[in-house]
PDB file of all heavy atoms in Angstrom:
ATOM      1  N   LYS A  21      54.267 -30.895 -26.330  1.00  0.00           N
ATOM      2  CA  LYS A  21      54.417 -29.569 -25.731  1.00  0.00           C
ATOM      3  C   LYS A  21      53.407 -29.391 -24.605  1.00  0.00           C
ATOM      4  O   LYS A  21      52.440 -30.163 -24.433  1.00  0.00           O
ATOM      5  CB  LYS A  21      54.181 -28.471 -26.798  1.00  0.00           C
ATOM      6  CG  LYS A  21      55.137 -28.542 -27.954  1.00  0.00           C
ATOM      7  CD  LYS A  21      56.543 -28.272 -27.496  1.00  0.00           C
ATOM      8  CE  LYS A  21      57.492 -28.346 -28.738  1.00  0.00           C
ATOM      9  NZ  LYS A  21      58.921 -28.297 -28.358  1.00  0.00           N
ATOM     10  N   GLN A  22      53.546 -28.369 -23.769  1.00  0.00           N
ATOM     11  CA  GLN A  22      52.712 -28.156 -22.581  1.00  0.00           C
ATOM     12  C   GLN A  22      52.053 -26.840 -22.545  1.00  0.00           C
ATOM     13  O   GLN A  22      52.591 -25.848 -23.074  1.00  0.00           O
ATOM     14  CB  GLN A  22      53.546 -28.283 -21.321  1.00  0.00           C
ATOM     15  CG  GLN A  22      54.277 -29.563 -21.136  1.00  0.00           C
ATOM     16  CD  GLN A  22      55.171 -29.524 -19.886  1.00  0.00           C
ATOM     17  OE1 GLN A  22      55.400 -28.475 -19.310  1.00  0.00           O
ATOM     18  NE2 GLN A  22      55.695 -30.683 -19.490  1.00  0.00           N
ATOM     19  N   ILE A  23      50.903 -26.774 -21.926  1.00  0.00           N
ATOM     20  CA  ILE A  23      50.294 -25.518 -21.500  1.00  0.00           C
ATOM     21  C   ILE A  23      50.611 -25.421 -20.024  1.00  0.00           C
ATOM     22  O   ILE A  23      50.172 -26.310 -19.259  1.00  0.00           O
ATOM     23  CB  ILE A  23      48.767 -25.499 -21.711  1.00  0.00           C
ATOM     24  CG1 ILE A  23      48.477 -25.590 -23.192  1.00  0.00           C
ATOM     25  CG2 ILE A  23      48.150 -24.190 -21.115  1.00  0.00           C
ATOM     26  CD1 ILE A  23      46.987 -25.721 -23.499  1.00  0.00           C
ATOM     27  N   GLN A  24      51.420 -24.475 -19.587  1.00  0.00           N
ATOM     28  CA  GLN A  24      51.828 -24.365 -18.203  1.00  0.00           C
ATOM     29  C   GLN A  24      50.916 -23.391 -17.437  1.00  0.00           C
ATOM     30  O   GLN A  24      50.587 -22.339 -17.950  1.00  0.00           O
ATOM     31  CB  GLN A  24      53.272 -23.943 -18.093  1.00  0.00           C
ATOM     32  CG  GLN A  24      54.207 -24.946 -18.718  1.00  0.00           C
ATOM     33  CD  GLN A  24      55.660 -24.561 -18.581  1.00  0.00           C
ATOM     34  OE1 GLN A  24      55.986 -23.391 -18.312  1.00  0.00           O
ATOM     35  NE2 GLN A  24      56.543 -25.533 -18.777  1.00  0.00           N
ATOM     36  N   LEU A  25      50.520 -23.836 -16.237  1.00  0.00           N
ATOM     37  CA  LEU A  25      49.636 -23.038 -15.371  1.00  0.00           C
ATOM     38  C   LEU A  25      50.335 -22.789 -14.090  1.00  0.00           C
ATOM     39  O   LEU A  25      50.742 -23.755 -13.409  1.00  0.00           O
ATOM     40  CB  LEU A  25      48.315 -23.814 -15.146  1.00  0.00           C
ATOM     41  CG  LEU A  25      47.614 -24.337 -16.383  1.00  0.00           C
ATOM     42  CD1 LEU A  25      46.550 -25.359 -15.980  1.00  0.00           C
ATOM     43  CD2 LEU A  25      47.018 -23.161 -17.143  1.00  0.00           C
ATOM     44  N   GLY A  26      50.530 -21.553 -13.710  1.00  0.00           N
ATOM     45  CA  GLY A  26      51.247 -21.279 -12.430  1.00  0.00           C
ATOM     46  C   GLY A  26      52.660 -21.730 -12.532  1.00  0.00           C
ATOM     47  O   GLY A  26      53.380 -21.316 -13.440  1.00  0.00           O
ATOM     48  N   ALA A  27      53.077 -22.573 -11.652  1.00  0.00           N
ATOM     49  CA  ALA A  27      54.399 -23.093 -11.659  1.00  0.00           C
ATOM     50  C   ALA A  27      54.580 -24.062 -12.815  1.00  0.00           C
ATOM     51  O   ALA A  27      53.646 -24.639 -13.324  1.00  0.00           O
ATOM     52  CB  ALA A  27      54.723 -23.790 -10.316  1.00  0.00           C
ATOM     53  N   ALA A  28      55.789 -24.279 -13.249  1.00  0.00           N
ATOM     54  CA  ALA A  28      56.070 -25.160 -14.440  1.00  0.00           C
ATOM     55  C   ALA A  28      55.571 -26.549 -14.233  1.00  0.00           C
ATOM     56  O   ALA A  28      55.295 -27.254 -15.204  1.00  0.00           O
ATOM     57  CB  ALA A  28      57.574 -25.109 -14.754  1.00  0.00           C
ATOM     58  N   GLU A  29      55.479 -27.059 -12.985  1.00  0.00           N
ATOM     59  CA  GLU A  29      55.058 -28.424 -12.760  1.00  0.00           C
ATOM     60  C   GLU A  29      53.540 -28.634 -12.909  1.00  0.00           C
ATOM     61  O   GLU A  29      53.066 -29.696 -12.891  1.00  0.00           O
ATOM     62  CB  GLU A  29      55.564 -28.990 -11.420  1.00  0.00           C
ATOM     63  CG  GLU A  29      54.990 -28.295 -10.226  1.00  0.00           C
ATOM     64  CD  GLU A  29      55.814 -27.145  -9.701  1.00  0.00           C
ATOM     65  OE1 GLU A  29      56.737 -26.756 -10.340  1.00  0.00           O
ATOM     66  OE2 GLU A  29      55.465 -26.621  -8.631  1.00  0.00           O
ATOM     67  N   GLU A  30      52.782 -27.514 -13.004  1.00  0.00           N
ATOM     68  CA  GLU A  30      51.340 -27.570 -13.229  1.00  0.00           C
ATOM     69  C   GLU A  30      51.131 -27.340 -14.726  1.00  0.00           C
ATOM     70  O   GLU A  30      51.317 -26.289 -15.251  1.00  0.00           O
ATOM     71  CB  GLU A  30      50.617 -26.528 -12.458  1.00  0.00           C
ATOM     72  CG  GLU A  30      50.843 -26.677 -10.933  1.00  0.00           C
ATOM     73  CD  GLU A  30      50.367 -25.466 -10.141  1.00  0.00           C
ATOM     74  OE1 GLU A  30      50.208 -24.412 -10.693  1.00  0.00           O
ATOM     75  OE2 GLU A  30      50.165 -25.651  -8.965  1.00  0.00           O
ATOM     76  N   ASN A  31      50.775 -28.447 -15.439  1.00  0.00           N
ATOM     77  CA  ASN A  31      50.615 -28.316 -16.880  1.00  0.00           C
ATOM     78  C   ASN A  31      49.601 -29.283 -17.450  1.00  0.00           C
ATOM     79  O   ASN A  31      49.155 -30.254 -16.788  1.00  0.00           O
ATOM     80  CB  ASN A  31      51.983 -28.455 -17.551  1.00  0.00           C
ATOM     81  CG  ASN A  31      52.532 -29.835 -17.345  1.00  0.00           C
ATOM     82  OD1 ASN A  31      52.074 -30.797 -17.931  1.00  0.00           O
ATOM     83  ND2 ASN A  31      53.579 -29.931 -16.567  1.00  0.00           N
ATOM     84  N   ILE A  32      49.212 -29.003 -18.659  1.00  0.00           N
ATOM     85  CA  ILE A  32      48.358 -29.899 -19.448  1.00  0.00           C
ATOM     86  C   ILE A  32      49.144 -30.212 -20.739  1.00  0.00           C
ATOM     87  O   ILE A  32      49.692 -29.307 -21.351  1.00  0.00           O
ATOM     88  CB  ILE A  32      47.030 -29.226 -19.806  1.00  0.00           C
ATOM     89  CG1 ILE A  32      46.243 -28.785 -18.577  1.00  0.00           C
ATOM     90  CG2 ILE A  32      46.179 -30.144 -20.723  1.00  0.00           C
ATOM     91  CD1 ILE A  32      45.076 -27.889 -18.861  1.00  0.00           C
ATOM     92  N   SER A  33      49.220 -31.501 -21.082  1.00  0.00           N
ATOM     93  CA  SER A  33      49.926 -31.890 -22.297  1.00  0.00           C
ATOM     94  C   SER A  33      49.244 -33.105 -22.889  1.00  0.00           C
ATOM     95  O   SER A  33      48.408 -33.729 -22.299  1.00  0.00           O
ATOM     96  CB  SER A  33      51.400 -32.231 -21.971  1.00  0.00           C
ATOM     97  OG  SER A  33      51.458 -33.317 -21.082  1.00  0.00           O
ATOM     98  N   GLY A  34      49.555 -33.331 -24.207  1.00  0.00           N
ATOM     99  CA  GLY A  34      48.976 -34.455 -24.898  1.00  0.00           C
ATOM    100  C   GLY A  34      50.049 -35.020 -25.867  1.00  0.00           C
ATOM    101  O   GLY A  34      50.929 -34.350 -26.279  1.00  0.00           O
ATOM    102  N   ASP A  35      49.814 -36.319 -26.202  1.00  0.00           N
ATOM    103  CA  ASP A  35      50.764 -36.961 -27.089  1.00  0.00           C
ATOM    104  C   ASP A  35      50.083 -37.527 -28.342  1.00  0.00           C
ATOM    105  O   ASP A  35      50.638 -38.283 -29.069  1.00  0.00           O
ATOM    106  CB  ASP A  35      51.551 -38.062 -26.389  1.00  0.00           C
ATOM    107  CG  ASP A  35      50.673 -39.164 -25.891  1.00  0.00           C
ATOM    108  OD1 ASP A  35      49.465 -39.193 -26.142  1.00  0.00           O
ATOM    109  OD2 ASP A  35      51.203 -40.094 -25.177  1.00  0.00           O
ATOM    110  N   GLY A  36      48.809 -37.086 -28.607  1.00  0.00           N
ATOM    111  CA  GLY A  36      48.085 -37.607 -29.714  1.00  0.00           C
ATOM    112  C   GLY A  36      47.204 -38.812 -29.329  1.00  0.00           C
ATOM    113  O   GLY A  36      46.323 -39.168 -30.078  1.00  0.00           O
ATOM    114  N   THR A  37      47.410 -39.429 -28.158  1.00  0.00           N
ATOM    115  CA  THR A  37      46.626 -40.511 -27.673  1.00  0.00           C
ATOM    116  C   THR A  37      46.060 -40.190 -26.294  1.00  0.00           C
ATOM    117  O   THR A  37      44.879 -40.438 -26.042  1.00  0.00           O
ATOM    118  CB  THR A  37      47.513 -41.814 -27.561  1.00  0.00           C
ATOM    119  OG1 THR A  37      48.059 -42.092 -28.840  1.00  0.00           O
ATOM    120  CG2 THR A  37      46.661 -42.950 -27.109  1.00  0.00           C
ATOM    121  N   ASP A  38      46.860 -39.662 -25.386  1.00  0.00           N
ATOM    122  CA  ASP A  38      46.446 -39.370 -24.005  1.00  0.00           C
ATOM    123  C   ASP A  38      46.581 -37.910 -23.712  1.00  0.00           C
ATOM    124  O   ASP A  38      47.411 -37.232 -24.270  1.00  0.00           O
ATOM    125  CB  ASP A  38      47.303 -40.129 -23.004  1.00  0.00           C
ATOM    126  CG  ASP A  38      47.199 -41.646 -23.160  1.00  0.00           C
ATOM    127  OD1 ASP A  38      46.126 -42.174 -23.375  1.00  0.00           O
ATOM    128  OD2 ASP A  38      48.251 -42.324 -23.165  1.00  0.00           O
ATOM    129  N   ILE A  39      45.776 -37.427 -22.764  1.00  0.00           N
ATOM    130  CA  ILE A  39      45.884 -36.068 -22.226  1.00  0.00           C
ATOM    131  C   ILE A  39      46.357 -36.206 -20.762  1.00  0.00           C
ATOM    132  O   ILE A  39      45.785 -37.007 -20.026  1.00  0.00           O
ATOM    133  CB  ILE A  39      44.549 -35.279 -22.271  1.00  0.00           C
ATOM    134  CG1 ILE A  39      44.104 -35.106 -23.709  1.00  0.00           C
ATOM    135  CG2 ILE A  39      44.663 -33.939 -21.586  1.00  0.00           C
ATOM    136  CD1 ILE A  39      42.723 -34.451 -23.804  1.00  0.00           C
ATOM    137  N   THR A  40      47.424 -35.447 -20.417  1.00  0.00           N
ATOM    138  CA  THR A  40      47.960 -35.514 -19.042  1.00  0.00           C
ATOM    139  C   THR A  40      47.713 -34.190 -18.325  1.00  0.00           C
ATOM    140  O   THR A  40      48.006 -33.153 -18.881  1.00  0.00           O
ATOM    141  CB  THR A  40      49.443 -35.834 -19.102  1.00  0.00           C
ATOM    142  OG1 THR A  40      49.613 -37.107 -19.771  1.00  0.00           O
ATOM    143  CG2 THR A  40      50.035 -35.903 -17.702  1.00  0.00           C
ATOM    144  N   PHE A  41      47.124 -34.256 -17.132  1.00  0.00           N
ATOM    145  CA  PHE A  41      47.007 -33.113 -16.273  1.00  0.00           C
ATOM    146  C   PHE A  41      48.006 -33.318 -15.125  1.00  0.00           C
ATOM    147  O   PHE A  41      47.897 -34.265 -14.369  1.00  0.00           O
ATOM    148  CB  PHE A  41      45.576 -33.003 -15.659  1.00  0.00           C
ATOM    149  CG  PHE A  41      44.520 -32.811 -16.697  1.00  0.00           C
ATOM    150  CD1 PHE A  41      43.920 -33.866 -17.343  1.00  0.00           C
ATOM    151  CD2 PHE A  41      44.105 -31.517 -16.979  1.00  0.00           C
ATOM    152  CE1 PHE A  41      42.930 -33.672 -18.275  1.00  0.00           C
ATOM    153  CE2 PHE A  41      43.090 -31.316 -17.947  1.00  0.00           C
ATOM    154  CZ  PHE A  41      42.529 -32.397 -18.558  1.00  0.00           C
ATOM    155  N   ALA A  42      49.013 -32.487 -15.056  1.00  0.00           N
ATOM    156  CA  ALA A  42      50.059 -32.668 -14.089  1.00  0.00           C
ATOM    157  C   ALA A  42      50.029 -31.552 -13.054  1.00  0.00           C
ATOM    158  O   ALA A  42      49.809 -30.387 -13.431  1.00  0.00           O
ATOM    159  CB  ALA A  42      51.436 -32.734 -14.709  1.00  0.00           C
ATOM    160  N   VAL A  43      50.237 -31.881 -11.779  1.00  0.00           N
ATOM    161  CA  VAL A  43      50.283 -30.893 -10.706  1.00  0.00           C
ATOM    162  C   VAL A  43      51.521 -31.119  -9.888  1.00  0.00           C
ATOM    163  O   VAL A  43      52.178 -32.169  -9.951  1.00  0.00           O
ATOM    164  CB  VAL A  43      49.032 -30.955  -9.818  1.00  0.00           C
ATOM    165  CG1 VAL A  43      47.826 -30.606 -10.583  1.00  0.00           C
ATOM    166  CG2 VAL A  43      48.894 -32.323  -9.142  1.00  0.00           C
ATOM    167  N   GLY A  44      51.926 -30.138  -9.100  1.00  0.00           N
ATOM    168  CA  GLY A  44      53.142 -30.227  -8.231  1.00  0.00           C
ATOM    169  C   GLY A  44      52.910 -31.261  -7.145  1.00  0.00           C
ATOM    170  O   GLY A  44      51.851 -31.811  -6.944  1.00  0.00           O
ATOM    171  N   SER A  45      54.006 -31.552  -6.447  1.00  0.00           N
ATOM    172  CA  SER A  45      53.986 -32.504  -5.323  1.00  0.00           C
ATOM    173  C   SER A  45      52.885 -32.167  -4.325  1.00  0.00           C
ATOM    174  O   SER A  45      52.784 -31.071  -3.847  1.00  0.00           O
ATOM    175  CB  SER A  45      55.368 -32.492  -4.662  1.00  0.00           C
ATOM    176  OG  SER A  45      55.363 -33.362  -3.587  1.00  0.00           O
ATOM    177  N   GLY A  46      52.077 -33.164  -4.031  1.00  0.00           N
ATOM    178  CA  GLY A  46      50.988 -32.958  -3.036  1.00  0.00           C
ATOM    179  C   GLY A  46      49.801 -32.218  -3.587  1.00  0.00           C
ATOM    180  O   GLY A  46      48.829 -31.947  -2.874  1.00  0.00           O
ATOM    181  N   GLY A  47      49.783 -31.881  -4.863  1.00  0.00           N
ATOM    182  CA  GLY A  47      48.696 -31.118  -5.473  1.00  0.00           C
ATOM    183  C   GLY A  47      47.511 -32.058  -5.898  1.00  0.00           C
ATOM    184  O   GLY A  47      47.607 -33.220  -5.840  1.00  0.00           O
ATOM    185  N   ASP A  48      46.426 -31.383  -6.215  1.00  0.00           N
ATOM    186  CA  ASP A  48      45.185 -32.082  -6.606  1.00  0.00           C
ATOM    187  C   ASP A  48      44.654 -31.473  -7.898  1.00  0.00           C
ATOM    188  O   ASP A  48      44.927 -30.367  -8.229  1.00  0.00           O
ATOM    189  CB  ASP A  48      44.083 -31.914  -5.540  1.00  0.00           C
ATOM    190  CG  ASP A  48      44.432 -32.558  -4.203  1.00  0.00           C
ATOM    191  OD1 ASP A  48      44.895 -33.722  -4.238  1.00  0.00           O
ATOM    192  OD2 ASP A  48      44.188 -31.905  -3.182  1.00  0.00           O
ATOM    193  N   ILE A  49      43.861 -32.268  -8.623  1.00  0.00           N
ATOM    194  CA  ILE A  49      43.039 -31.735  -9.722  1.00  0.00           C
ATOM    195  C   ILE A  49      41.653 -31.648  -9.149  1.00  0.00           C
ATOM    196  O   ILE A  49      41.073 -32.683  -8.739  1.00  0.00           O
ATOM    197  CB  ILE A  49      43.130 -32.671 -10.948  1.00  0.00           C
ATOM    198  CG1 ILE A  49      44.559 -32.736 -11.458  1.00  0.00           C
ATOM    199  CG2 ILE A  49      42.156 -32.223 -12.019  1.00  0.00           C
ATOM    200  CD1 ILE A  49      44.791 -33.732 -12.557  1.00  0.00           C
ATOM    201  N   ASN A  50      41.125 -30.439  -9.054  1.00  0.00           N
ATOM    202  CA  ASN A  50      39.802 -30.207  -8.403  1.00  0.00           C
ATOM    203  C   ASN A  50      38.720 -29.899  -9.414  1.00  0.00           C
ATOM    204  O   ASN A  50      38.873 -29.169 -10.364  1.00  0.00           O
ATOM    205  CB  ASN A  50      39.927 -29.030  -7.433  1.00  0.00           C
ATOM    206  CG  ASN A  50      40.907 -29.268  -6.355  1.00  0.00           C
ATOM    207  OD1 ASN A  50      40.755 -30.194  -5.575  1.00  0.00           O
ATOM    208  ND2 ASN A  50      41.966 -28.478  -6.285  1.00  0.00           N
ATOM    209  N   LEU A  51      37.573 -30.582  -9.143  1.00  0.00           N
ATOM    210  CA  LEU A  51      36.331 -30.313  -9.902  1.00  0.00           C
ATOM    211  C   LEU A  51      35.359 -29.658  -8.891  1.00  0.00           C
ATOM    212  O   LEU A  51      35.249 -30.159  -7.788  1.00  0.00           O
ATOM    213  CB  LEU A  51      35.704 -31.559 -10.410  1.00  0.00           C
ATOM    214  CG  LEU A  51      36.518 -32.352 -11.460  1.00  0.00           C
ATOM    215  CD1 LEU A  51      35.773 -33.629 -11.836  1.00  0.00           C
ATOM    216  CD2 LEU A  51      36.711 -31.517 -12.737  1.00  0.00           C
ATOM    217  N   PRO A  52      34.647 -28.621  -9.242  1.00  0.00           N
ATOM    218  CA  PRO A  52      33.679 -27.993  -8.287  1.00  0.00           C
ATOM    219  C   PRO A  52      32.617 -28.978  -7.935  1.00  0.00           C
ATOM    220  O   PRO A  52      32.374 -29.971  -8.635  1.00  0.00           O
ATOM    221  CB  PRO A  52      33.115 -26.833  -9.106  1.00  0.00           C
ATOM    222  CG  PRO A  52      34.086 -26.594 -10.239  1.00  0.00           C
ATOM    223  CD  PRO A  52      34.746 -27.838 -10.502  1.00  0.00           C
ATOM    224  N   SER A  53      31.883 -28.713  -6.855  1.00  0.00           N
ATOM    225  CA  SER A  53      30.749 -29.586  -6.454  1.00  0.00           C
ATOM    226  C   SER A  53      29.706 -29.645  -7.530  1.00  0.00           C
ATOM    227  O   SER A  53      29.509 -28.662  -8.235  1.00  0.00           O
ATOM    228  CB  SER A  53      30.018 -29.098  -5.192  1.00  0.00           C
ATOM    229  OG  SER A  53      30.729 -28.346  -4.356  1.00  0.00           O
ATOM    230  N   ASN A  54      29.104 -30.781  -7.576  1.00  0.00           N
ATOM    231  CA  ASN A  54      28.001 -31.031  -8.511  1.00  0.00           C
ATOM    232  C   ASN A  54      28.397 -30.958 -10.023  1.00  0.00           C
ATOM    233  O   ASN A  54      27.582 -30.765 -10.879  1.00  0.00           O
ATOM    234  CB  ASN A  54      26.770 -30.130  -8.248  1.00  0.00           C
ATOM    235  CG  ASN A  54      26.223 -30.348  -6.883  1.00  0.00           C
ATOM    236  OD1 ASN A  54      26.059 -31.498  -6.482  1.00  0.00           O
ATOM    237  ND2 ASN A  54      26.055 -29.261  -6.123  1.00  0.00           N
ATOM    238  N   ILE A  55      29.697 -31.122 -10.274  1.00  0.00           N
ATOM    239  CA  ILE A  55      30.208 -31.204 -11.639  1.00  0.00           C
ATOM    240  C   ILE A  55      30.733 -32.640 -11.792  1.00  0.00           C
ATOM    241  O   ILE A  55      31.595 -33.082 -11.018  1.00  0.00           O
ATOM    242  CB  ILE A  55      31.375 -30.199 -11.909  1.00  0.00           C
ATOM    243  CG1 ILE A  55      30.895 -28.783 -11.705  1.00  0.00           C
ATOM    244  CG2 ILE A  55      31.939 -30.427 -13.309  1.00  0.00           C
ATOM    245  CD1 ILE A  55      29.808 -28.294 -12.658  1.00  0.00           C
ATOM    246  N   GLY A  56      30.167 -33.389 -12.660  1.00  0.00           N
ATOM    247  CA  GLY A  56      30.531 -34.818 -12.810  1.00  0.00           C
ATOM    248  C   GLY A  56      31.672 -35.061 -13.793  1.00  0.00           C
ATOM    249  O   GLY A  56      31.894 -34.230 -14.725  1.00  0.00           O
ATOM    250  N   LEU A  57      32.359 -36.134 -13.608  1.00  0.00           N
ATOM    251  CA  LEU A  57      33.345 -36.634 -14.562  1.00  0.00           C
ATOM    252  C   LEU A  57      32.664 -37.755 -15.311  1.00  0.00           C
ATOM    253  O   LEU A  57      32.350 -38.808 -14.695  1.00  0.00           O
ATOM    254  CB  LEU A  57      34.622 -37.120 -13.847  1.00  0.00           C
ATOM    255  CG  LEU A  57      35.688 -37.716 -14.633  1.00  0.00           C
ATOM    256  CD1 LEU A  57      36.275 -36.742 -15.678  1.00  0.00           C
ATOM    257  CD2 LEU A  57      36.833 -38.201 -13.750  1.00  0.00           C
ATOM    258  N   THR A  58      32.363 -37.592 -16.577  1.00  0.00           N
ATOM    259  CA  THR A  58      31.579 -38.610 -17.301  1.00  0.00           C
ATOM    260  C   THR A  58      32.453 -39.396 -18.244  1.00  0.00           C
ATOM    261  O   THR A  58      33.505 -38.927 -18.678  1.00  0.00           O
ATOM    262  CB  THR A  58      30.463 -37.994 -18.108  1.00  0.00           C
ATOM    263  OG1 THR A  58      30.969 -37.066 -19.085  1.00  0.00           O
ATOM    264  CG2 THR A  58      29.448 -37.237 -17.188  1.00  0.00           C
ATOM    265  N   PHE A  59      32.046 -40.633 -18.509  1.00  0.00           N
ATOM    266  CA  PHE A  59      32.725 -41.562 -19.408  1.00  0.00           C
ATOM    267  C   PHE A  59      31.802 -41.928 -20.499  1.00  0.00           C
ATOM    268  O   PHE A  59      30.876 -42.679 -20.243  1.00  0.00           O
ATOM    269  CB  PHE A  59      33.233 -42.760 -18.640  1.00  0.00           C
ATOM    270  CG  PHE A  59      34.124 -42.460 -17.484  1.00  0.00           C
ATOM    271  CD1 PHE A  59      33.630 -42.158 -16.220  1.00  0.00           C
ATOM    272  CD2 PHE A  59      35.496 -42.334 -17.635  1.00  0.00           C
ATOM    273  CE1 PHE A  59      34.432 -41.802 -15.182  1.00  0.00           C
ATOM    274  CE2 PHE A  59      36.326 -42.025 -16.577  1.00  0.00           C
ATOM    275  CZ  PHE A  59      35.769 -41.755 -15.349  1.00  0.00           C
ATOM    276  N   GLY A  60      31.990 -41.462 -21.696  1.00  0.00           N
ATOM    277  CA  GLY A  60      31.157 -41.795 -22.874  1.00  0.00           C
ATOM    278  C   GLY A  60      29.854 -40.989 -22.869  1.00  0.00           C
ATOM    279  O   GLY A  60      29.631 -40.169 -23.755  1.00  0.00           O
ATOM    280  N   ASP A  61      29.031 -41.144 -21.906  1.00  0.00           N
ATOM    281  CA  ASP A  61      27.790 -40.391 -21.799  1.00  0.00           C
ATOM    282  C   ASP A  61      27.408 -40.233 -20.314  1.00  0.00           C
ATOM    283  O   ASP A  61      28.138 -40.662 -19.455  1.00  0.00           O
ATOM    284  CB  ASP A  61      26.656 -41.010 -22.591  1.00  0.00           C
ATOM    285  CG  ASP A  61      26.272 -42.423 -22.104  1.00  0.00           C
ATOM    286  OD1 ASP A  61      26.352 -42.692 -20.895  1.00  0.00           O
ATOM    287  OD2 ASP A  61      25.871 -43.242 -22.974  1.00  0.00           O
ATOM    288  N   ASP A  62      26.297 -39.592 -20.044  1.00  0.00           N
ATOM    289  CA  ASP A  62      25.883 -39.334 -18.638  1.00  0.00           C
ATOM    290  C   ASP A  62      25.603 -40.639 -17.889  1.00  0.00           C
ATOM    291  O   ASP A  62      25.351 -40.585 -16.661  1.00  0.00           O
ATOM    292  CB  ASP A  62      24.698 -38.389 -18.653  1.00  0.00           C
ATOM    293  CG  ASP A  62      24.924 -37.167 -17.727  1.00  0.00           C
ATOM    294  OD1 ASP A  62      26.120 -36.944 -17.340  1.00  0.00           O
ATOM    295  OD2 ASP A  62      23.982 -36.490 -17.403  1.00  0.00           O
ATOM    296  N   GLY A  63      25.562 -41.752 -18.558  1.00  0.00           N
ATOM    297  CA  GLY A  63      25.214 -43.004 -17.891  1.00  0.00           C
ATOM    298  C   GLY A  63      26.377 -43.554 -17.061  1.00  0.00           C
ATOM    299  O   GLY A  63      26.150 -44.382 -16.203  1.00  0.00           O
ATOM    300  N   GLU A  64      27.574 -43.036 -17.239  1.00  0.00           N
ATOM    301  CA  GLU A  64      28.729 -43.479 -16.472  1.00  0.00           C
ATOM    302  C   GLU A  64      29.369 -42.184 -15.930  1.00  0.00           C
ATOM    303  O   GLU A  64      29.939 -41.391 -16.682  1.00  0.00           O
ATOM    304  CB  GLU A  64      29.746 -44.208 -17.356  1.00  0.00           C
ATOM    305  CG  GLU A  64      29.222 -45.502 -17.912  1.00  0.00           C
ATOM    306  CD  GLU A  64      30.209 -46.206 -18.849  1.00  0.00           C
ATOM    307  OE1 GLU A  64      31.254 -45.633 -19.127  1.00  0.00           O
ATOM    308  OE2 GLU A  64      29.980 -47.340 -19.230  1.00  0.00           O
ATOM    309  N   LYS A  65      29.284 -42.024 -14.598  1.00  0.00           N
ATOM    310  CA  LYS A  65      29.658 -40.714 -14.054  1.00  0.00           C
ATOM    311  C   LYS A  65      30.170 -40.896 -12.599  1.00  0.00           C
ATOM    312  O   LYS A  65      29.716 -41.680 -11.881  1.00  0.00           O
ATOM    313  CB  LYS A  65      28.496 -39.796 -14.059  1.00  0.00           C
ATOM    314  CG  LYS A  65      28.770 -38.394 -13.499  1.00  0.00           C
ATOM    315  CD  LYS A  65      27.546 -37.502 -13.283  1.00  0.00           C
ATOM    316  CE  LYS A  65      26.610 -37.404 -14.386  1.00  0.00           C
ATOM    317  NZ  LYS A  65      25.602 -36.334 -14.220  1.00  0.00           N
TER     318      LYS A  65
END
């Protein structure tokens, strides 16, 4: 199932293994400045 944001093509969904962030054609997933995407801990960012 999906959590829909704005238009139906913007959504968050999961299948028990992966989480998918989907956006419309030409869209982006944006993180604000100075906010990191970390992997495991702050040592991988």
Side-chain angles (χ1 to χ4, degrees):
K21 302 295 182 187
Q22 302 175 348
I23 297 174
Q24 295 182 345
L25 309 165
E29 66 268 7
E30 298 167 343
N31 63 71
I32 302 170
S33 63
D35 64 5
T37 303
D38 299 317
I39 297 174
T40 301
F41 296 87
V43 297
S45 177
D48 295 315
I49 296 173
N50 297 300
L51 297 174
S53 334
N54 299 313
I55 301 295
L57 177 62
T58 60
F59 302 88
D61 61 33
D62 233 14
E64 298 177 352
K65 182 189 309 192

